[in-house]
Amino acid sequence: MPVATAAFATEALNWVLASPIISAELVLLAYALYKLTKAFVYDPLTSPLESLPGPPKPGKVFDLSNLMMAMDTVNSQQNQQEMREQYGKNMHIQGFGYWDQRLLTFDTRAINYILHQATELYPKAWQSRRMLSRLLGEGLAVTEGEQHKRQRRVINPAFAPAVLRKMDPIFHSKAEELRDRWLGLLSPTPDAEGYSQLDINHWISRATFDAFALAGFSYSLNVIQNEDHPLYLAYKKMFDMAINKGQTLIGFLEIYMPWLTYLPTEVNRQINASKKIILEAGNELIREKRQALLKGLDEEKGPGNGGRDLLSLLIKSNLEETSPKQRLSDAELLAQIHSFLFVGSDSVSLSILWTLYELSHNIPLQTRVRDEILAARQASSGQTANDASALPLLDAVVRECLRLTPPLQSTLRSAARDDIIPTEDGNGIKIRAGQLIHLPFEGMNIAKEIWGQDAWEFKPDRWFNLPETAKRTPGLVSNLMTFSIGPHSCPGVHFAIMEMKAFLTELIASFEFAPVPKKRILKGNVMVTRPFVAGEWDKGTQMPMLIRPYSPQPSTEA
C-alpha cells in the first residue's frame, strides 16, 4: 500500500474514532453483525446437539423443520416410534430454520432431570410463555422461578383432598343437567336404530365450563341451558380467535415481534374485547370474595360451594401469608382465574370427549363400563364415581384415555445456561444456553418398549396388570406423563379426574354412543389436542357422534 494511501486511511480512521456519533453507530453496527453472525453462523456450526443422531433436514435454508414429524398428532404415534427406533431416545431435530437446533428426548433420566431435579435451569420456553401470557396473564401456567414458587405455595391448599371432596356434588349436578339437556335435544325422529347425531364437543365444553365456574368461583353461568353469558362468550371468542384463526404467519410473528399485537386486525380486536370483559368480571369476583372473607361470611346462601370454592380458598390462603412479599397481587389472582378456567375446563372437556370417542368405537367395552356403573349404583344407591374400588373399570378407562390422548401433547423447555443433561446410558448430553428441548408427553405414554406392543391401542384392562417397564416410568399419576412431573406439574390433577369421572358416570349410564358413519375424527395439535373432522378443518373443533338413550334390555330369565 503506498505511504500516502496508508496515511490517509490512518487519518480517516482517527477521524471516525474521534466522532462520538459515528463511533457509536459503528459500535452498534458491529454489535449487530456480531450477534447475527453468532446466531446464524457460529452457533449452528458449533452446536453440541449436532453430535446427536436425528432425522434429515427436509430443505436447505428455511424448509428445514422436523417439528411436524414430532408434533403432528394425526401421525405422531407412527412418526415418534420410527424416530425412536432409528435414532434412539435422544435426537437432534430442526426447529424453524437451520439455526434453530433442538433436542427431542424420550430418555427417562433426562426428562426427570429437566422437569424435576434441575427445573430452575430449564424454564418453559419464552416463546410459549409469551403466547400464553397474552391470553392468560402471569398465572401458574406461565410463571417461572420465585414467582412460580410463590404462586404455587398460595394455590396448593385450594386443591387439598378434603376440599375436592366437597366439590364432587357440583360435578354430578352439572352432569345430570347435561344429561337432561341432551334428552331434550335428541331428535324425535331418530334413525332406524334409535340414534340421533349430536356434536358432543360443543355441549361438553359448555358443561365443564359451567361446572368449573360454579366449583371454582361459586359463579353460576348456566351456560348448559343458555350460552349467551358474556363471560362464557368472551372466553369462547378469545380462544376461537387465538386457536382456530390465530395459527397464521402473523400469529407466529407476533411471538417474536409483540408490537404486532397492537395492529387493528380482526383477531387482535376480538382478543382485546374479550380480555376486557374477562378482566372486569374477574376483578369483581376477587373484590366480592375478599370482602366476604374479611367480613367472616361463609356465603352459605350462595349457589356454589359455601365459601369453599377455589377462588375463596385461594384468596384466604393469600391473606394468611405473613409476609406481604409472598402474597399474590390482584393481577396474579386474576391470572389464576384465567388459567383455572382455561386449563380446568378445556382440558377436562377434551379428556371426556376422547374417552367417549374411544368407547363409541368399542361397544362391548362401553357395555362393560355401563354395567359396572349401574351395578354399583344399585348396590350403594349413592355416587361412586370417584371410588376406584367401586368402579375399577371406569378408573382404568379414565387412565387409559389420559395415557393415549393427553390434552397437552408435549412441552417445550429452554436451557438457561450451558449444561450436561444426564442420560440413561451415562454419556450425558451437552446443551448450550438458549437451546430448546421437546419433552413428548404423548410419546412417553405410548412408547411400545414401555407399555408393550399394543401401546397404541385403547385397552383399559392393561391397568390391571401393568408391565414392569411402565411401573418404572416417571409420572405424577399412574406412571403417566400427562400431568408432567416436578414443581411445574399440574396442581389440579385430582380435581380434573374427579370431574371426568362424574360426567362419564352420568353420560355412560344414560346414553349409548356410536361413531357417525363416514365422519373420520382426527387429532389436531392446537395448543391442546382437539378433535376435528377430516375434510372439515375450516369448521373448527367438533366431534359429531350418534347418541341414543340407554334402555335396559328386558330379562330373558323365566
Side-chain angles (χ1 to χ4, degrees):
M1 178 184 292
V3 175
T5 303
F8 176 79
T10 302
E11 288 297 322
L13 179 60
N14 289 335
W15 179 80
V16 167
L17 294 175
S19 171
I21 297 177
I22 295 179
S23 61
E25 290 175 345
L26 285 175
V27 168
L28 289 174
L29 178 61
Y31 179 74
L33 289 173
Y34 161 74
K35 296 294 286 186
L36 289 171
T37 303
K38 184 176 186 299
F40 294 102
V41 179
Y42 178 79
D43 283 353
L45 291 176
T46 61
S47 170
L49 297 180
E50 281 285 0
S51 62
L52 294 176
K57 303 174 180 64
K60 294 182 179 180
V61 181
F62 293 102
D63 183 24
L64 298 172
S65 180
N66 304 123
L67 296 182
M68 282 297 292
M69 182 183 295
M71 300 178 65
D72 175 19
T73 45
V74 175
N75 302 301
S76 58
Q77 290 182 342
Q78 183 72 33
N79 289 342
Q80 292 190 28
Q81 187 67 34
E82 290 178 355
M83 291 166 72
R84 291 169 68 117
E85 292 173 355
Q86 189 167 356
Y87 307 113
K89 293 184 178 182
N90 298 293
M91 67 193 75
H92 159 223
I93 63 172
Q94 290 293 143
F96 300 104
Y98 70 89
W99 57 88
D100 184 9
Q101 300 178 2
R102 306 184 181 188
L103 169 66
L104 173 63
T105 179
F106 297 87
D107 191 299
T108 56
R109 189 177 180 194
I111 291 171
N112 191 61
Y113 176 78
I114 293 164
L115 292 179
H116 188 63
Q117 295 175 328
T119 183
E120 295 293 327
L121 298 180
Y122 295 93
K124 291 182 287 291
W126 67 264
Q127 296 92 329
S128 302
R129 300 207 311 270
R130 178 171 288 176
M131 180 180 66
L132 286 174
S133 63
R134 185 189 180 195
L135 303 176
L136 303 177
E138 295 292 319
L140 200 64
V142 175
T143 55
E144 291 287 343
E146 288 303 316
Q147 186 181 14
H148 183 274
K149 290 179 182 178
R150 181 166 50 83
Q151 291 184 1
R152 184 85 181 216
R153 183 168 53 252
V154 172
I155 287 169
N156 279 341
F159 289 102
V163 174
L164 297 184
R165 283 193 293 271
K166 295 180 180 180
M167 295 180 182
D168 195 32
I170 294 176
F171 298 144
H172 280 278
S173 174
K174 284 298 175 182
E176 291 167 1
E177 186 180 346
L178 179 63
R179 173 204 63 197
D180 295 342
R181 192 77 168 90
W182 279 7
L183 287 172
L185 285 171
L186 296 183
S187 173
T189 56
D191 66 15
E193 296 183 350
Y195 284 106
S196 300
Q197 183 172 319
L198 194 67
D199 178 14
I200 65 171
N201 169 74
H202 173 73
W203 287 99
I204 290 178
S205 64
R206 282 169 62 169
T208 55
F209 195 92
D210 219 2
F212 198 95
L214 199 57
F217 317 121
S218 293
Y219 197 9
S220 181
L221 300 177
N222 201 34
V223 294
I224 293 178
Q225 302 301 329
N226 193 334
E227 63 176 332
D228 64 358
H229 193 285
L231 182 61
Y232 171 73
L233 290 178
Y235 269 97
K236 186 174 183 296
K237 290 176 181 178
M238 181 172 73
F239 284 101
D240 177 65
M241 283 292 174
I243 294 169
N244 294 328
K245 296 183 180 179
Q247 305 295 311
T248 61
L249 177 60
I250 292 294
F252 171 75
L253 292 176
E254 284 176 350
I255 297 173
Y256 296 88
M257 294 179 281
W259 57 267
L260 290 174
T261 60
Y262 294 99
L263 295 179
T265 64
E266 178 192 7
V267 172
N268 289 339
R269 282 195 298 268
Q270 185 59 66
I271 288 177
N272 291 334
S274 295
K275 286 174 68 176
K276 182 180 179 181
I277 294 171
I278 294 166
L279 180 67
E280 291 173 352
N283 281 328
E284 182 63 26
L285 271 174
I286 291 171
R287 281 193 296 270
E288 290 177 357
K289 298 294 181 186
R290 183 183 288 117
Q291 289 172 4
L293 287 167
L294 290 174
K295 292 178 181 178
L297 301 179
D298 61 7
E299 298 183 342
E300 287 183 352
K301 295 180 181 179
N305 205 14
R308 302 294 293 175
D309 57 85
L310 292 180
L311 182 57
S312 293
L313 292 166
L314 179 58
I315 295 174
K316 182 176 183 291
S317 176
N318 197 42
L319 291 172
E320 290 174 348
E321 277 289 344
T322 56
S323 171
K325 292 182 179 180
Q326 295 301 316
R327 293 175 187 163
L328 306 187
S329 66
D330 280 3
E332 288 178 298
L333 288 171
L334 187 62
Q336 308 316 321
I337 295 177
H338 292 347
S339 298
F340 288 166
L341 272 173
F342 172 62
V343 178
S345 66
D346 201 45
S347 60
V348 171
S349 71
L350 289 169
S351 293
I352 294 170
L353 282 174
W354 288 117
T355 304
L356 293 177
Y357 168 83
E358 295 291 352
L359 293 177
S360 74
H361 286 76
N362 191 332
I363 302 301
L365 175 60
Q366 184 185 147
T367 301
R368 285 176 59 202
V369 177
R370 184 179 299 107
D371 290 346
E372 180 186 68
I373 294 169
L374 295 176
R377 284 185 173 182
Q378 187 175 12
S380 65
S381 67
Q383 295 171 348
T384 57
N386 291 293
D387 185 351
S389 62
L391 299 173
L393 183 57
L394 176 66
D395 185 65
V397 164
V398 167
R399 292 169 189 251
E400 185 71 349
C401 177
L402 293 171
R403 181 190 72 84
L404 200 60
T405 312
L408 194 63
Q409 193 253 7
S410 60
T411 187
L412 191 63
R413 291 294 189 270
S414 176
R417 62 170 172 79
D418 294 357
D419 194 20
I420 298 177
I421 301 171
T423 55
E424 294 174 16
D425 59 14
N427 293 328
I429 301 169
K430 290 183 179 181
I431 194 161
R432 180 179 290 159
Q435 289 189 312
L436 299 178
I437 306 162
H438 284 264
L439 303 174
F441 292 164
E442 180 197 39
M444 294 300 293
N445 285 353
I446 60 172
K448 290 185 176 181
E449 62 267 34
I450 296 175
W451 298 92
Q453 290 304 305
D454 59 356
W456 298 356
E457 301 175 41
F458 188 81
K459 288 187 174 182
D461 289 305
R462 78 173 73 247
W463 290 96
F464 302 123
N465 186 26
L466 280 182
E468 290 301 317
T469 47
K471 293 178 182 178
R472 294 194 299 269
T473 302
L476 184 63
V477 175
S478 305
N479 309 98
L480 297 175
M481 287 298 300
T482 304
F483 299 99
S484 191
I485 58 172
H488 285 269
S489 59
C490 175
V493 52
H494 298 294
F495 182 103
I497 292 175
M498 177 182 289
E499 187 177 1
M500 277 185 69
K501 289 182 177 180
F503 275 93
L504 289 170
T505 299
E506 192 56 52
L507 296 179
I508 295 169
S510 304
F511 300 99
E512 294 179 88
F513 300 90
V516 178
K518 299 180 181 179
K519 290 279 188 179
R520 184 183 172 211
I521 305 297
L522 300 176
K523 297 177 181 178
N525 186 2
V526 280
M527 291 181 69
V528 285
T529 304
R530 302 180 184 278
F532 293 83
V533 175
E536 298 181 12
W537 291 93
D538 58 319
K539 294 183 180 179
T541 303
Q542 53 176 332
M543 186 181 281
M545 194 170 288
L546 295 180
I547 302 176
R548 69 183 179 191
Y550 171 69
S551 297
Q553 297 296 317
S555 175
T556 57
E557 294 182 5

